[in-house]
Amino acid sequence: QVQLQESGPGLVKPSETLSLTCTVSGVSMNTLSYFWVWTRQPPGKGLEWLGTIYSSGITYYNPSLESRITMSVDTSKSHFSLKLSSVTAADTAVYYCARQTTLDSDYGAVDYWGQGTLVTVSS
Amino acid sequence: DIQMTQSPSSLSASVGDRVTITCRASQDIGSDLGWYQQKPGKAPKRLIYGASNLQSGVPSRFSGSGSGTEFTLTIGSLQPEDFATYFCLQHNSYPLTFGQGTKVEVK
């Protein structure tokens, strides 16, 4: 059973760097069959895709965040990570990690999600 | 970027009602769309993939239709466990983009 679990500080100060990790279980990350995704949902608002990383380390980032976002992957530890620098109150959100599949009939679709973790940016 | 316009943003319904939610894409995305159910504090759950394919284990009262720019999620007969928020997600191109969500509430 595929499971994804976000972890990291729930409170980050303005101008600092938000750091989260997503631990993956039930499937090997060391495969070309899946990509790994971060999304977020500010309180009362819709979901926003932040970026996708392949097991090879290739990344695709949301252009609106490209100057502040870094994603990395460690397949040996079955986790991938998000860093978002210079945060402001506007970065307060529930952050979700998720998986994209590369199965032919479903290429690029997001099929599994973590339950999310609330990160508040406040001094 | 492909914009996804979802409607309605909320609806009130009773158990047994038929519920329809729509997503419109700002350009042709073929069938590269999924529908998801979201409950507070839980991982979103995929209901429909490829616009019209039922995810394994999802009750058959859920169905999806459409292609190109207009898509529909239908709940054939609303059950108590279906009161939740639903959203669509296009994966045709980056950036991935979402509908704003539809909250299905008790009437």
Side-chain angles (χ1 to χ4, degrees):
Chain A
Q1 182 179 348
V2 178
Q3 291 188 318
L4 297 93
Q5 181 66 58
E6 305 86 352
S7 60
L11 181 64
V12 181
K13 290 183 168 55
S15 80
E16 295 190 346
T17 296
L18 177 159
S19 296
L20 295 174
T21 295
C22 181
T23 301
V24 179
S25 59
V27 66
S28 171
M29 291 189 70
N30 195 15
T31 171
L32 298 176
S33 297
Y34 308 111
F35 308 148
W36 308 98
V37 181
W38 285 101
T39 70
R40 69 181 180 182
Q41 185 169 32
K45 296 187 177 181
L47 283 149
E48 177 185 29
W49 172 77
L50 304 182
T52 293
I53 186 165
Y54 295 6
S55 57
S56 63
I58 293 172
T59 53
Y60 293 89
Y61 294 144
N62 191 316
S64 68
L65 296 168
E66 199 144 18
S67 62
R68 298 196 292 130
I69 190 172
T70 303
M71 294 175 63
S72 59
V73 62
D74 188 337
T75 58
S76 66
K77 294 182 179 178
S78 290
H79 73 221
F80 61 107
S81 300
L82 169 73
K83 290 188 187 297
L84 188 65
S85 64
S86 304
V87 297
T88 70
D91 295 308
T92 294
V94 176
Y95 286 76
Y96 295 93
C97 59
R99 186 183 84 169
Q100 280 177 273
T101 180
T102 63
L103 291 177
D104 283 346
S105 61
D106 206 14
Y107 189 91
V110 176
D111 58 356
Y112 285 96
W113 298 71
Q115 66 181 40
T117 187
L118 175 63
V119 179
T120 301
V121 178
S122 175
S123 55
Chain B
D1 299 2
I2 297 173
Q3 293 186 358
M4 302 301 298
T5 303
Q6 185 172 341
S7 61
S9 56
S10 66
L11 63 90
S12 298
S14 302
V15 172
D17 284 354
R18 181 181 180 88
V19 169
T20 300
I21 299 167
T22 298
C23 267
R24 288 188 174 87
S26 61
Q27 62 191 71
D28 190 338
I29 60 170
S31 296
D32 295 337
L33 181 120
W35 287 99
Y36 301 80
Q37 179 189 68
Q38 186 179 24
K39 294 183 177 180
K42 295 205 168 182
K45 175 185 174 183
R46 189 167 69 163
L47 306 173
I48 301 290
Y49 67 94
S52 60
N53 300 292
L54 190 67
Q55 182 76 30
S56 176
V58 173
S60 59
R61 63 181 179 272
F62 291 95
S63 63
S65 64
S67 66
T69 61
E70 188 147 344
F71 303 87
T72 300
L73 172 71
T74 300
I75 308 173
S77 177
L78 197 66
Q79 297 302 299
E81 60 269 30
D82 300 337
F83 292 100
T85 297
Y86 296 85
F87 63 87
C88 63
L89 165 60
Q90 72 79 20
H91 59 270
N92 179 263
S93 63
Y94 291 125
L96 306 185
T97 47
F98 298 83
Q100 282 295 100
T102 297
K103 187 172 185 179
V104 178
E105 299 175 302
V106 177
K107 190 170 184 179

